[in-house]
Amino acid sequence: MDTRQRAEKLLKSLQKEGLDGIFLQKDANIRYLSGFTNSDSYLLLAPEKRAIITDSRYTEQAEKECTGYEVVRWRNPYPSLAETLLTLSEKWGIKKLGFEGAVISYDLYTRLKEALEGIELIPASGLVEEIRKIKDEDEISLIRKACDISDKSFEELLGYIKPGLSEKDIEREFQYILKKNGADEIAFDIIGISGVKTSLPHGIPSDKLIEAGDFVTFDFGAQVQGYKCDMTRTICVGKATDDQKKIYDIVAKSQKRGLEAVRAGVPGKLVDKASRDVIEEAGYGRYFGTGLGHGVGLEIHELPFMSTSCEEYLAAGNVLTVEPGIYLPSWGGVRIEDTVLVKEEGCEILTHATKKLIEL
Ligand SMILES: [Mn+2]
């Protein structure tokens, strides 16, 4: 799907909402609709009209990247953003303008409200995100590539890990390996934590040294042309104890059940339940505090979500994570996470690193 087709889809949503146009600030939405790969810019869209509003740092780039868009430069010596928006809206005949209430600051909203006389500002968050939930072939192939790079890089990293290195040493090496293997960027800050710190679902790598017997959890992903992979593996440095094996096996079984439950037409909360039941039946339900998974694409966390309360039905073309975990304070934790593509009859797992407990 090219950016013009994506814009057409959004225009249909605007029509349904009774809007004449929409003003966007979220980078991922702007990239999706226009191909613009940088930041700090805005997009204005109305029937037959599309503009990127940016400043002199990005105008040349936007002109090259955003086919079909008028590139409007604002900031010194040109008028303020609010005035720019007013001029365009009047020219394009916009009376009801949607904006991302969940994204723009109160300050910007206040400035726009003051300046846009005669134009109704209507909160309309999530319209682009709703379209982005279903990935097209091009998007899937980029996510696939990001997943392949992530798998390959993890395999390579395993040869580097040994007791005496710090979490930060390993994080730095991992970033290097991911980029060397073709990642444009790291999809998000790598979580590479060890020992008792593995009970922190989003722990931060520190100077802590890896010790023999430590669990080490890696939550990581490559990014390719904006598209992300999100995966987690927990390994043991040295021989795992019976307790470590026991917790690992419960999470692995839970993750497998979750994967088996993913398919189009199932509400997210049922997939969450299939996976969560395994952990609850083993008596660790209270140590699995997160939802089971989330959509992934241009953003690391996007629609749809899978948690105990998600009524939304999965659809073919969703790309999701399945990531149960058990986190035992002051002891440690295990999380196993794959990125998967939802299909009519099940799912395709896009991350392939082994889920057997690795004992280095
Ligand atoms: Mn995740």
Side-chain angles (χ1 to χ4, degrees), residues 262-273:
V262 174
R263 66 187 149 82
V266 172
K269 68 174 186 180
L270 279 194
V271 183
D272 180 286
K273 184 175 186 318

Side-chain angles (χ1 to χ4, degrees), residues 219 230 232 294 300-301 321 323 337:
D219 188 343
D230 187 6
T232 304
H294 53 85
I300 193 61
H301 298 123
T321 67
E323 49 174 315
E337 173 183 32

Side-chain angles (χ1 to χ4, degrees), residues 130 133 266-269 303-305 309-314 318:
E130 200 57 40
K133 276 196 312 200
V266 172
K269 68 174 186 180
L303 297 172
F305 289 91
S309 60
C310 287
E311 304 284 347
E312 192 181 336
Y313 289 80
L314 303 185
N318 291 156

Side-chain angles (χ1 to χ4, degrees), residues 157 165-175 186 188-195 197-198 200-210 216-220 335:
L157 180 75
L165 291 172
S166 73
E167 293 170 350
K168 278 185 180 170
D169 289 333
I170 294 174
E171 179 200 21
R172 200 165 47 242
E173 182 69 12
F174 206 177
Q175 288 174 347
I186 308 302
F188 53 92
D189 288 343
I190 294 169
I191 298 170
I193 47 174
S194 61
K197 281 181 68 188
T198 50
L200 309 170
H202 279 191
I204 296 169
S206 68
D207 292 322
K208 180 195 169 299
L209 303 181
I210 307 298
V216 186
T217 296
F218 294 105
D219 188 343
F220 62 97
R335 174 166 67 258

Side-chain angles (χ1 to χ4, degrees), residues 14-214:
L14 296 187
Q15 214 171 19
K16 261 189 229 155
E17 303 290 321
L19 300 168
D20 314 315
I22 190 158
F23 170 67
L24 301 170
Q25 181 183 348
K26 192 194 265 188
D27 290 342
N29 288 340
I30 294 174
R31 182 169 189 155
Y32 182 76
L33 289 166
S34 73
F36 182 61
T37 59
N38 223 310
S39 58
D40 262 356
S41 300
Y42 305 90
L43 188 151
L44 185 67
L45 182 133
E48 313 287 324
K49 299 282 183 190
R50 286 180 279 165
I52 296 285
I53 303 168
T54 189
D55 61 63
S56 65
R57 290 172 296 170
Y58 308 115
T59 41
E60 185 181 351
Q61 180 181 350
E63 275 157 11
K64 285 191 180 125
E65 289 180 336
C66 309
T67 313
Y69 278 80
E70 181 183 344
V71 176
V72 178
R73 178 173 150 175
W74 71 284
R75 281 211 170 129
N76 187 25
Y78 299 95
S80 71
L81 177 62
E83 285 170 67
T84 309
L85 204 53
L86 177 65
T87 309
L88 286 172
S89 298
E90 284 179 338
K91 206 161 81 180
W92 296 2
I94 296 172
K95 291 269 176 252
K96 289 177 184 237
L97 179 63
F99 70 98
E100 295 167 302
V103 177
I104 84 166
S105 69
Y106 180 76
D107 286 1
L108 176 57
Y109 172 74
T110 308
R111 287 204 303 276
L112 296 182
K113 205 168 158 49
E114 271 169 23
L116 296 181
E117 244 180 272
I119 296 166
E120 200 181 337
L121 279 171
I122 300 166
S125 287
L127 296 182
V128 188
E129 285 86 343
E130 200 57 40
I131 298 168
R132 284 174 37 211
K133 276 196 312 200
I134 309 282
K135 271 67 181 174
D136 62 37
E137 283 307 317
D138 296 340
E139 296 181 286
I140 291 166
S141 93
L142 292 171
I143 294 171
R144 215 182 271 285
K145 200 169 165 199
C147 290
D148 290 346
I149 292 168
S150 305
D151 276 335
K152 184 179 172 208
S153 300
F154 178 63
E155 183 69 38
E156 203 175 320
L157 180 75
L158 291 176
Y160 173 81
I161 300 164
K162 56 174 193 266
L165 291 172
S166 73
E167 293 170 350
K168 278 185 180 170
D169 289 333
I170 294 174
E171 179 200 21
R172 200 165 47 242
E173 182 69 12
F174 206 177
Q175 288 174 347
Y176 168 74
I177 293 172
L178 282 158
K179 289 200 175 179
K180 187 191 69 178
N181 286 333
D184 299 331
E185 291 286 345
I186 308 302
F188 53 92
D189 288 343
I190 294 169
I191 298 170
I193 47 174
S194 61
V196 295
K197 281 181 68 188
T198 50
S199 68
L200 309 170
H202 279 191
I204 296 169
S206 68
D207 292 322
K208 180 195 169 299
L209 303 181
I210 307 298
E211 292 172 63
D214 272 357

